């Protein structure tokens, strides 16, 4: 094999290795770039849902969405928060006055997983991205 063919093969192998590489979800810049979009909480209670659309500017997170509880009320919500290292910290203010705190990490590109709490003990919670917004 000639020198030029070996060089082309080397570049092809490097290119394929780079394409198969997973993003570093401990890097705050990668997390910030991947938070934009619509997220839905995975809840095993029929008729309950929390959906929020997040935007990010530097390390500041903001957003809005809707919530509904099984057989009960529903309404709108506002999200504020920030990215700190590999963590995402959100305050989710429901329009009925309740404020939820969500401390999470991003274990996969479309998953936020962590603890959700108000004034009591935290409970495990997961949100999945259902729509990605383009970077701004």
């Amino acid at each position: 094999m000639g020198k030029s063919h070996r060089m082309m093969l080397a570049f092809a192998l490097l290119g394929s290795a780079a394409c198969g590489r997973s993003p570093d979800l401990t890097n705050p810049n990668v997390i910030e770039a991947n938070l934009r979009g619509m997220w839905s909480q995975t809840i095993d209670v029929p008729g309950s849902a929390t959906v929020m659309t997040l935007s990010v500017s530097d390390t500041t997170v903001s957003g809005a969405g809707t919530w509904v509880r099984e057989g009960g009320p529903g309404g709108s919500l506002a999200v504020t928060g920030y990215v700190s290292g590999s963590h995402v910290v959100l305050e989710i203010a429901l329009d009925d006055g309740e404020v939820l705190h969500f401390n999470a990490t991003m274990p996969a590109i479309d998953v936020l997983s962590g603890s959700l709490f108000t004034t009591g003990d935290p409970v495990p919670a997961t949100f999945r991205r259902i729509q990605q917004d383009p970077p701004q």
Side-chain angles (χ1 to χ4, degrees):
M1 184 182 309
K3 184 177 180 179
S4 63
H5 288 213
R6 282 191 298 254
M7 296 262 307
M8 286 176 32
L9 178 61
F11 282 122
L13 289 173
L14 282 172
S16 66
C19 290
R21 193 173 201 186
S22 297
D24 179 5
L25 296 175
T26 62
N27 180 329
N29 295 324
V30 173
I31 293 170
E32 292 162 18
N34 286 287
L35 271 178
R36 291 181 186 94
M38 185 178 294
W39 295 82
S40 177
Q41 186 177 9
T42 55
I43 303 175
D44 290 334
V45 180
S48 295
T50 303
V51 177
M52 58 189 178
T53 300
L54 300 179
S55 61
V56 183
S57 177
D58 293 323
T59 60
T60 302
V61 181
S62 61
T66 58
W67 63 277
V68 64
R69 292 191 180 120
E70 176 188 29
S76 61
L77 60 85
V79 181
T80 57
Y82 58 92
V83 176
S84 176
S86 63
H87 294 273
V88 178
V89 179
L90 301 178
E91 186 172 279
I92 304 167
L94 307 183
D95 63 352
D96 69 353
E98 185 175 19
V99 178
L100 307 171
H101 306 279
F102 185 48
N103 297 329
T105 59
M106 189 179 268
I109 203 73
D110 290 327
V111 177
L112 282 173
S113 184
S115 298
L116 188 65
F117 63 96
T118 54
T119 57
D121 292 331
V123 296
T126 301
F127 284 81
R128 297 198 181 278
R129 186 171 45 198
I130 56 176
Q131 178 182 339
Q132 182 175 5
D133 286 350
Q136 297 181 15

